[in-house]
């Protein structure tokens, strides 16, 4: 694995300011920490060409995620956000959910393997009641259990834009899977 660090993210910030042709940026597995997210968020806030950023397998926690979430409130071009295998937790998921209530560009959110518990899953579901652009949510390998699944079932009855939800290796009971299936069956 490589290491970008704060100085590397400062350079990326300058790149994002100056370049208007780059559409995808993969900086996964680079040990990017919360402190570096200041520069990434500022760069993405100003950039109008990047539609896909992969920040998976870094060291981003709740405070770094909050910086990225604040960027999402005003960014109108980013469509794919990969945050898999970080440590954003339920607080980071809450911040993302609040931002996505007003964001109208993001269609793909990958937050698998992030220590998200039911509270974070519930806030994501509340956001999806008002967000009309997100079509894919990957919650794989988080701690979404019965109460999170209940919120998701309620959401799936009314949301008409979400086309894919990945709940692989979450702690969901057979009864909750039936509840999800019934909700999907009733959603047209």
């Amino acid at each position: 694995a490589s290491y970008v660090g704060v100085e590397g993210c400062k350079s990326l910030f300058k790149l994002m300011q100056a370049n208007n042709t780059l559409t995808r940026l993969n900086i996964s597995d680079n040990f990017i920490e919360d402190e570096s997210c200041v520069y990434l968020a500022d760069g993405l806030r100003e950039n109008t060409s990047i539609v896909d950023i992969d920040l998976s397998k870094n060291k981003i926690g709740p405070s770094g995620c909050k910086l990225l979430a604040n960027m999402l409130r005003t960014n109108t071009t980013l469509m794919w956000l990969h945050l898999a295998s970080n440590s954003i937790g339920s607080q980071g998921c809450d911040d993302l959910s609040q931002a996505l209530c007003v964001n109208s560009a993001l269609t793909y959110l990958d937050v698998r393997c992030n220590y998200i518990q039911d509270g974070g899953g519930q806030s994501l579901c509340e956001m999806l009641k008002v967000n009309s652009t997100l079509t894919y949510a990957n919650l794989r390998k988080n701690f979404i259990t019965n109460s999170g699944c209940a919120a998701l079932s309620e959401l799936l009855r009314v949301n008409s834009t979400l086309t894919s939800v990945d709940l692989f290796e979450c702690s969901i009971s057979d009864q909750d899977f039936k509840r999800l299936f019934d909700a999907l069956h009733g959603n047209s």
Side-chain angles (χ1 to χ4, degrees):
S2 54
Y3 180 75
V4 171
V6 174
E7 291 306 314
C9 286
K10 284 180 183 178
S11 297
L12 283 171
F13 168 70
K14 290 175 185 173
L15 169 77
M16 286 187 263
Q17 281 183 311
N19 185 298
N20 61 2
T21 57
L22 183 68
T23 59
R24 288 178 169 44
L25 182 59
N26 182 341
I27 47 177
S28 61
D29 204 12
N30 273 288
F31 297 99
I32 293 170
E33 297 178 314
D34 291 342
E35 183 181 357
S36 298
C37 288
V38 171
Y39 303 103
L40 294 175
D42 286 348
L44 289 167
R45 189 176 289 110
E46 295 181 25
N47 184 281
T48 58
S49 65
I50 295 176
V51 296
D52 183 351
I53 188 162
D54 191 341
L55 295 166
S56 300
K57 298 180 182 175
N58 281 296
K59 304 291 182 195
I60 299 171
S63 60
C65 190
K66 184 173 187 131
L67 293 164
L68 295 169
N70 286 337
M71 170 275 300
L72 286 173
R73 292 178 183 276
T74 57
N75 180 289
T76 59
T77 55
L78 191 65
M79 297 173 64
W80 289 53
L81 178 59
H82 307 262
L83 285 169
S85 300
N86 281 286
S87 299
I88 69 168
S90 292
Q91 182 58 54
C93 193
D94 288 346
D95 292 331
L96 284 173
S97 297
Q98 290 172 23
L100 291 174
C101 284
V102 297
N103 178 285
S104 60
L106 201 74
T107 60
Y108 179 101
L109 179 64
D110 183 354
V111 290
R112 69 181 179 259
C113 303
N114 263 294
Y115 308 101
I116 297 168
Q117 297 179 357
D118 283 331
Q122 289 169 344
S123 65
L124 191 66
C125 289
E126 288 301 312
M127 172 274 296
L128 285 165
K129 289 180 182 177
V130 296
N131 178 291
S132 61
T133 56
L134 198 67
T135 59
Y136 178 87
N138 189 337
L139 297 166
R140 171 187 288 225
K141 287 189 173 184
N142 280 297
F143 303 104
I144 310 295
T145 60
N146 296 345
S147 61
C149 196
L152 184 59
S153 296
E154 180 185 322
L155 161 76
L156 291 175
R157 293 186 192 283
V158 297
N159 181 287
S160 60
T161 56
L162 196 62
T163 59
S164 182
V165 178
D166 189 338
L167 295 169
F168 180 74
E169 292 189 31
C170 290
S171 300
I172 299 173
S173 69
D174 288 343
Q175 180 182 358
D176 286 322
F177 268 118
K178 182 182 180 330
R179 186 182 307 165
L180 286 171
F181 178 79
D182 291 344
L184 285 170
H185 188 266
N187 182 326
S188 55

